[in-house]
Amino acid sequence: MAIKGNTGDNRTRNSVSIIIVGGLCCFFYLLGAWQRSGFGKGDSIAVEITRQTDCSSISNLSFETHHSGAGISDELSDSKSQTFEPCEDSYTDYTPCQDQKRAMTFPRNNMIYRERHCPPDVEKLYCLIPAPKGYVAPFPWPKSRDYVPYANVPYKSLTVEKAVQNWVQYEGNVFRFPGGGTQFPQGADKYIDQLASVIPIPNGTVRTALDTGCGVASWGAYLLKRNVLAMSFAPRDSHEAQVQFALERGVPAVIGVLGSIKLPYPSRAFDMAHCSRCLIPWGANDGMYMMEVDRVLRPGGFWVLSGPPINWKTNYQAWQRTKEDLEQEQKRIEEIADLLCWEKFTEFGETAIWMKKINADSCPGRQDEPRVKICETMNDDVWYKNMEACVSPYPEVNNADEVAGGELKPYPERLYAVPPRISSGSLKGYSVESYQEDNELWKKHIKVYKKINKLLDTGRYRNIMDMNAGLGGFAAAIESPKLWVMNVLPTIADKSMLGVIYERGLIGIYHDWCEAFSTYPRTYDLIHAAGVFSLYQDKCKMEDILLEMDRILRPEGAVIFRDEVDVLLKVKKMIGGMRWSSKLVDHEDGPLIPEKILVAVKQYWVAGGKNSTSEI
């Protein structure tokens, strides 16, 4: 009798499972039919994602059986999702922490007013930032390097203000970027050729670069074909949309400035730093800005200064400044470079290049130099920390030939070589073995992502963000010339991990996801969020993070969430009111694993009309 009873129970469970699976298949069939009905430009992408994540991939997903609804409140299960309405059309380019009106209320000295000043909670917008009318998907790379649709960034001021410098030209319904710049009238490519003749760019020694005051980031754009990844930044200033143009072109960039707070990058991060007439007063504040560049420049790295005051004897009239003024400025820069232990590498035309010495033993007597103040610590806790006029100490070495902090392999070998921060044991909790295991795990995850979304490695997604990058395993596993990844290390995570990411030849930035990211709306094609909401549980509201993701994600862009099932159910419920389509998928190791994958697509809609395709 007991056996018969069990058999009946099993039949009942099987029947229920069949009904659930059948219902899900019907749901996604109806979703696909609705999406094919022609509403909105985002439907083709949504259809493709729906087709690729077919019912077979979740046929065994049953939350009641395996998870019993644990942790899911009645409010979540029974209530309808909140609907977020569009913001006013005037907010199409809203950057919450670099808002122009708010910026003007802060002091002008040291560019404080151009730094991050985020709105208090009472001023946060709980609406969806609209795309401008006529918005279209960017051109694929490498065409996007040279052409940007006018409708996506409808501002012509740079074509007028920089007309003679060949930055950008307006041609019909597109902007064209000839690759020119203030200091490279023959184009960024030839300018980089000059740099590469003296800096070891071709052999992979220089992989990561920092471009201060980047303009429209043509320098970074043309470095990409040489396998150099530049982190470009410029303030949101009178030249509208510099960083927005850069990202629309498919080039890494953020809104930022050298002002009063430290740059959001780890120490010893970049192989090269660059200033092409970036208008930064390098000799001011006791050399504080050069000292900050020194902090983020790795031992053996290069600093390139192009423009005033270099070669002032020839150019002072063109720069409309006196010989005395320019001579004094260059003299001051040379003095600070000596204090920093930078060696003048070469000077040609209007360009000078310095190389940072490889260790403190290369700088005998600096410790006794009364003008040198050594910083007390060299940790990477830099978020909202004041910049100081002090010199970052080198890590200790055992001999005069050793590179402080560890020597790096040339790229691409360094992508999977064991980073010095791990091999030295300075990153607590991680060993060589755990690092290698993490790499294998992310290779496995990426294989699954590519099965879920077959567009992932086709060039459809150019600008990608990893919101919780860890050791950079996601970016390393997805590495391709068709895309780049902005690795974000949350400020509540282990700061040293971002240093590991740079040692791998990748780029990234510190950020607190309770605040807005330093970028314009619609600047990322795909966002990866693994464990973000578990990490920020009880730190800030889920809707704050999701609305920021919506702000920076392009229409038709995709999001891959990876988290505990209870967390993802809450996320899925909330994005249901954000004009996103979504689908929950099992962990690659099967339905018994509580971690799941949620795939979402932001639908196409623009300002000034009710053309949403968000209903699902």
Side-chain angles (χ1 to χ4, degrees), residues 279-550:
L279 305 180
I280 294 171
W282 294 111
N285 299 323
D286 298 320
M288 182 171 69
Y289 300 135
M290 289 179 67
M291 292 174 183
E292 180 64 1
V293 170
D294 178 75
R295 181 185 69 81
V296 301
L297 192 64
R298 71 167 176 85
F302 299 89
W303 186 55
V304 181
L305 177 59
S306 180
I310 306 303
N311 199 8
W312 55 269
K313 292 179 181 178
T314 303
N315 297 300
Y316 74 95
Q317 288 180 324
W319 293 334
Q320 298 182 340
R321 292 174 61 183
T322 65
K323 287 183 177 181
E324 294 76 17
D325 182 28
L326 288 163
E327 181 181 18
Q328 185 61 33
E329 183 180 343
Q330 179 152 353
K331 182 180 178 182
R332 180 60 179 148
I333 289 172
E334 301 275 10
E335 288 175 351
I336 298 167
D338 286 340
L339 293 175
L340 292 170
C341 205
W342 294 358
E343 180 182 358
K344 187 72 168 291
F345 202 64
T346 188
E347 183 175 323
F348 55 88
E350 298 173 13
T351 301
I353 302 173
W354 285 264
M355 185 177 74
K356 181 177 177 178
K357 297 289 184 67
I358 63 171
N359 56 44
D361 290 351
S362 306
C363 314
R366 189 172 74 168
Q367 296 287 353
D368 300 325
E369 170 61 59
R371 294 175 298 168
V372 175
K373 178 187 175 185
I374 303 297
C375 302
E376 294 181 1
T377 61
M378 57 178 179
N379 64 50
D380 289 327
D381 186 16
V382 297
W383 188 246
Y384 285 120
K385 294 296 190 297
N386 289 332
M387 204 181 297
E388 301 176 80
C390 64
V391 181
S392 298
Y394 282 98
E396 294 183 0
V397 295
N398 296 317
N399 60 71
D401 297 325
E402 184 181 347
V403 178
E407 188 170 3
L408 300 178
K409 301 286 187 182
Y411 195 84
E413 187 180 350
R414 77 167 73 164
L415 185 62
Y416 280 106
V418 179
R421 280 174 167 89
I422 288 181
S423 60
S424 67
S426 61
L427 184 56
K428 295 181 179 179
Y430 291 92
S431 63
V432 173
E433 291 75 20
S434 63
Y435 166 74
Q436 293 170 339
E437 288 172 2
D438 185 76
N439 286 332
E440 293 306 312
L441 179 63
W442 280 107
K443 288 177 183 178
K444 178 180 175 181
H445 289 338
I446 292 298
K447 285 183 180 179
V448 173
Y449 292 165
K450 288 180 178 179
K451 290 179 180 178
I452 293 173
N453 181 355
K454 291 183 173 62
L455 300 175
L456 200 59
D457 194 31
T458 64
R460 167 66 183 85
Y461 304 111
R462 171 68 184 172
N463 303 355
I464 297 179
M465 173 181 283
D466 189 359
M467 294 177 66
N468 186 19
L471 299 174
F474 169 85
I478 205 173
E479 169 69 8
S480 165
K482 299 174 186 176
L483 55 87
W484 60 269
V485 179
M486 178 67 76
N487 292 284
V488 180
L489 194 76
T491 55
I492 57 178
D494 188 330
K495 309 296 187 298
S496 300
M497 287 193 287
L498 191 54
V500 168
I501 287 170
Y502 274 95
E503 289 178 343
R504 302 186 70 169
L506 304 168
I507 59 171
I509 193 169
Y510 295 114
H511 183 65
D512 180 359
W513 283 114
C514 292
E515 299 180 357
F517 193 72
S518 292
T519 192
Y520 286 83
R522 304 171 302 281
T523 48
Y524 285 89
D525 303 298
L526 182 133
I527 298 175
H528 179 246
V532 171
F533 293 96
S534 290
L535 182 66
Y536 275 92
Q537 190 170 4
D538 302 324
K539 300 292 190 303
C540 52
K541 292 187 288 187
M542 180 180 285
E543 55 262 44
D544 285 343
I545 300 176
L546 286 170
L547 287 171
E548 176 59 8
M549 293 172 69
D550 181 82

Side-chain angles (χ1 to χ4, degrees), residues 20-326:
I20 291 173
V21 171
L24 286 170
C25 291
C26 290
F27 170 78
F28 286 108
Y29 173 82
L30 292 174
L31 171 61
W34 175 85
Q35 288 167 334
R36 293 182 177 88
S37 62
F39 295 101
K41 297 183 181 179
D43 294 318
S44 60
I45 303 298
V47 167
E48 185 67 12
I49 294 294
T50 301
R51 183 186 65 78
Q52 291 165 6
T53 53
D54 60 21
C55 288
S56 62
S57 65
I58 60 168
S59 60
N60 295 320
L61 189 64
S62 174
F63 298 118
E64 284 189 2
T65 303
H66 301 301
H67 305 291
S68 303
I72 306 173
S73 66
D74 292 338
E75 178 184 357
L76 177 65
S77 302
D78 299 335
S79 63
K80 293 182 179 180
S81 61
Q82 178 183 355
T83 299
F84 294 93
E85 299 297 332
C87 302
E88 295 179 8
D89 291 357
S90 59
Y91 285 97
T92 53
D93 290 322
Y94 182 53
T95 56
C97 297
Q98 285 89 11
D99 180 65
Q100 294 285 61
K101 292 182 180 178
R102 186 179 298 106
M104 300 309 294
T105 65
F106 289 89
R108 297 296 187 94
N109 60 298
N110 292 338
M111 295 290 282
I112 292 174
Y113 75 115
R114 294 296 183 201
E115 293 178 327
R116 288 176 57 85
H117 302 290
C118 300
D121 287 346
V122 294
E123 295 181 18
K124 288 182 178 179
L125 297 179
Y126 288 93
C127 52
L128 305 176
I129 302 296
K133 290 182 180 179
Y135 179 89
V136 295
F139 297 116
W141 182 266
K143 184 179 180 180
S144 65
R145 184 192 67 187
D146 303 325
Y147 295 96
V148 165
Y150 170 75
N152 292 11
V153 194
Y155 305 112
K156 297 181 183 179
S157 61
L158 278 178
T159 65
V160 178
E161 293 182 38
K162 301 294 181 181
V164 299
Q165 295 166 13
N166 219 22
W167 277 28
V168 55
Q169 297 172 0
Y170 175 65
E171 299 178 353
N173 62 348
V174 299
F175 289 109
R176 185 171 73 87
F177 296 84
T182 309
Q183 289 305 128
F184 29 92
Q186 293 182 304
D189 222 13
K190 289 195 174 181
Y191 173 74
I192 294 170
D193 282 340
Q194 291 180 312
L195 299 181
S197 68
V198 292
I199 297 175
I201 291 174
N203 67 5
T205 299
V206 172
R207 163 62 178 175
T208 58
L210 180 69
D211 193 12
T212 58
C214 65
V216 294
S218 288
W219 187 71
Y222 281 86
L223 277 172
L224 284 165
K225 71 177 184 179
R226 301 168 194 256
N227 229 6
V228 177
L229 200 54
M231 172 71 79
S232 302
F233 71 82
R236 179 166 187 166
D237 60 7
S238 57
H239 301 322
E240 278 188 293
Q242 292 180 79
V243 167
Q244 192 174 19
F245 272 128
L247 285 154
E248 202 68 23
R249 297 173 73 183
V251 181
V254 293
I255 302 173
V257 64
L258 269 170
S260 66
I261 59 175
K262 293 182 178 182
L263 294 174
Y265 314 114
S267 301
R268 310 188 311 280
F270 296 97
D271 302 317
M272 176 170 56
H274 176 257
C275 162
S276 172
R277 206 167 188 176
C278 59
L279 305 180
I280 294 171
W282 294 111
N285 299 323
D286 298 320
M288 182 171 69
Y289 300 135
M290 289 179 67
M291 292 174 183
E292 180 64 1
V293 170
D294 178 75
R295 181 185 69 81
V296 301
L297 192 64
R298 71 167 176 85
F302 299 89
W303 186 55
V304 181
L305 177 59
S306 180
I310 306 303
N311 199 8
W312 55 269
K313 292 179 181 178
T314 303
N315 297 300
Y316 74 95
Q317 288 180 324
W319 293 334
Q320 298 182 340
R321 292 174 61 183
T322 65
K323 287 183 177 181
E324 294 76 17
D325 182 28
L326 288 163

